[in-house]
Amino acid sequence: MAITATAGPAQTYSYRRPSGLARGLLGLSTSGGTTAAGPRAHPYFFSGLLTQAAPAAAALLGLADVAQTRYHRPMPTGFRDPVVTCNGDRLRLESFSACGGVYARLDVLQQALDGEIHERGTTNVDVNGPLREALARVGGADPLHLAVGADELAVTTFDGAVVEKKVPLPDRWLRGFAELQVITAGFDLRAELAKAEAVRFLRGLPQAARGTMWAVPAGRGLRLTSRPAPGAVCLSGPDRLRTMLPLLRFARALRVYGPAASPGDASPLSSAWELELPGMRYVLTLSPEPSRGFSGEGAVLDALATDQAADDAEIVGALLDFEPRVEPDLLAHRAGLDLARARAALTQLGTAGRVGYDTAEAAFFHRELPYAPDRVTALNPRLRDARALADGGHVRFTEPGVAVVTTGGGERRVRFAGDTQEASCTCPWWVEYRGGRGPCKHVLAARMVRDRRAEAAR
């Protein structure tokens, strides 16, 4: 594969030639990726028309702008190449901000595509400076020819060139994809605004708001408050939604997704903001705070610490085929598992970047990222440390539901809430975050030991 993910600080993307736009032909050059038929150096996914040229061009620019932006402590960054997945009836283009706290996805749905699907799979596409300038000049409602793959790019006169890019911090993107799937699978639709109310709300957002804000339903729209209320959605760093502003002239509706907010708890939460465009959806998912990237949220740690889910994930993973909607019921039947185990396996696959979650359809979807399973532990130091504690005999249960974990910093007491996986700890991490950024290593280690004892007793 031309995409390589190493333990180093850079990931290399290799393209036959730059992407370009000429004479109404938009060619997105692909780097190495995985298809339904296996790895390909330069996969070729789609050739045909984007029936909504102007909204598509503006949304691609928004996606590229997010990838280039560092919202926390802004500083210049280079271009970062979006991940594109062809699921047969749609194209999904995904990227993270340079700071890792904003996830952007453009779903080009079947009604906006008029052409031929050549292959299903996942790769990266080249988005460069000249292409951005060309996209900015696209206007009107004229159809635009799109080719995702190198075979159609000779018309751009770039034939014969080779583009090599080195993108810093690939692990942060890969970890972010994993965390995001677990986090957004717990979201529900909280508000839906028609075009007029969506425009009014987004254009009225403060440019430099301090602290955590909450969007609460107010009539047909939303209003901002400083405290959560029933139905509220967290909006920390509203300036992170600004790439939606150029898209408002094409917008049909705005939908907002998030977890249930507790009126008495003002802790910041993630949220997803979906702008409906003609035949497309442009989605921004925000981390709880601008200073927090998704890669450090720790939402995947519970799934990674489960031995059974890891085994089941191998079975379920072999059944995935780049479906636009992954149905847990069907997977469970095909894998010979009950529904709970199939869902746990999907969560485990999400930690390897192989499964994403679409809040609009409340469904998982299949993608493939260059994320080797044996690197999961290395990319999650809390998981690595927890396994060392569990395997090293540093966990002892003094009574049912209470464990003492011995570390170099002293003893930490872990207390479980009955027979559930919920637990508290006396360590500084738990005292500060109280589970808001995933379990601490002591809770993870105690869960591992408890689960192993339960399995041995069966």
Side-chain angles (χ1 to χ4, degrees):
M1 292 176 60
I3 298 180
T4 58
T6 67
Q11 180 170 327
T12 300
Y13 299 81
S14 177
Y15 302 101
R16 290 179 179 174
R17 53 188 68 85
S19 295
L21 174 61
R23 300 191 294 277
L25 298 171
L26 171 59
L28 297 180
S29 186
T30 61
S31 183
T34 301
T35 70
R40 293 286 185 273
H42 299 281
Y44 183 38
F45 290 146
F46 174 81
S47 177
L49 297 176
L50 286 177
T51 59
Q52 300 288 335
L60 282 169
L61 279 174
L63 195 80
D65 285 344
V66 170
Q68 194 182 9
T69 303
R70 188 183 301 275
Y71 295 93
H72 178 57
R73 297 179 181 174
M75 62 181 65
T77 64
F79 295 110
R80 286 167 168 79
D81 297 333
V83 173
V84 60
T85 299
C86 179
N87 289 123
D89 67 343
R90 69 195 67 187
L91 296 172
R92 301 181 192 268
L93 294 95
E94 304 172 272
S95 68
F96 276 95
S97 62
C99 59
V102 178
Y103 163 79
R105 191 180 76 244
L106 172 63
D107 293 341
V108 185
L109 305 175
Q110 190 170 26
Q111 55 265 41
L113 297 172
D114 184 7
E116 182 179 358
I117 298 293
H118 297 275
E119 205 162 20
R120 290 174 297 164
T122 305
T123 185
N124 290 81
V125 292
D126 171 45
V127 176
N128 52 59
L131 176 61
R132 288 165 56 94
E133 295 175 5
L135 288 172
R137 294 193 293 269
V138 174
D142 294 333
L144 177 67
H145 186 277
L146 170 67
V148 183
D151 291 1
E152 295 289 324
L153 285 180
V155 296
T156 65
T157 72
F158 291 127
D159 196 17
V162 175
V163 181
E164 292 280 349
K165 292 186 178 182
K166 286 190 176 180
V167 180
L169 299 176
D171 287 348
R172 196 169 190 179
W173 272 44
L174 296 173
R175 289 175 62 189
F177 276 119
E179 297 283 347
L180 196 77
Q181 174 267 150
V182 178
I183 293 170
T184 55
F187 285 6
D188 291 312
L189 178 65
R190 299 295 171 187
E192 183 170 359
L193 280 62
K195 178 173 182 175
E197 292 297 335
V199 170
R200 185 177 298 110
F201 175 76
L202 289 172
R203 286 184 175 167
L205 290 174
Q207 294 185 355
R210 294 184 178 181
T212 301
M213 306 185 73
W214 299 84
V216 298
R220 296 181 180 179
L222 294 170
R223 63 180 177 86
L224 293 180
T225 69
S226 60
R227 304 289 298 180
V233 176
C234 184
L235 179 55
S236 183
D239 61 301
R240 297 188 288 175
L241 296 179
R242 65 174 179 261
T243 59
M244 286 187 166
L245 297 181
L247 300 175
L248 290 179
R249 65 186 188 275
F250 310 112
R252 293 178 172 177
L254 174 69
R255 299 181 184 91
V256 189
Y257 304 84
S262 301
D265 183 3
S267 300
L269 302 169
S270 295
S271 58
W273 303 74
E274 172 202 309
L275 203 61
E276 181 187 340
L277 306 172
M280 290 165 277
R281 294 193 291 257
Y282 182 78
V283 183
L284 294 178
T285 305
L286 310 182
S287 65
E289 297 174 285
S291 61
R292 288 166 60 173
F294 281 106
S295 61
E297 286 303 286
V300 303
L301 294 174
D302 288 331
L304 291 176
T306 305
D307 294 334
Q308 185 184 59
D311 294 337
D312 291 344
E314 291 188 19
I315 301 172
V316 172
L319 299 174
L320 297 178
D321 192 27
F322 293 100
E323 302 94 331
R325 291 175 57 92
V326 175
E327 302 291 348
D329 290 346
L330 179 60
L331 273 179
H333 176 72
R334 293 172 62 192
L337 303 172
D338 61 42
L339 182 58
R341 287 178 62 181
R343 287 187 175 277
L346 283 173
T347 301
Q348 181 85 13
L349 290 168
T351 66
R354 299 187 60 194
V355 174
Y357 190 79
D358 186 341
T359 52
E361 300 187 6
F364 298 96
F365 63 89
H366 179 205
R367 76 157 100 76
E368 290 284 344
L369 295 176
Y371 197 117
D374 58 358
R375 296 179 61 231
V376 171
T377 299
L379 295 177
N380 291 278
R382 268 183 276 168
L383 177 65
R384 179 195 61 215
D385 294 345
R387 283 183 174 157
L389 290 170
D391 296 343
H394 299 286
V395 180
R396 71 180 191 276
F397 277 80
T398 57
E399 57 183 282
V402 179
V404 174
V405 183
T406 304
T407 70
E411 292 186 343
R412 308 300 183 193
R413 187 173 297 273
V414 174
R415 185 178 298 275
F416 288 93
D419 294 330
T420 70
Q421 291 285 67
E422 296 296 323
S424 62
C425 184
T426 57
C427 73
W429 174 273
W430 195 90
V431 170
E432 181 174 0
Y433 297 111
R434 295 185 177 273
R437 301 195 70 176
C440 64
K441 62 183 180 182
H442 314 103
V443 168
L444 280 173
R447 284 177 184 167
M448 290 176 185
V449 172
R450 189 177 73 160
D451 290 347
R452 290 172 187 175
R453 288 182 176 181
E455 183 66 23
R458 292 193 181 113

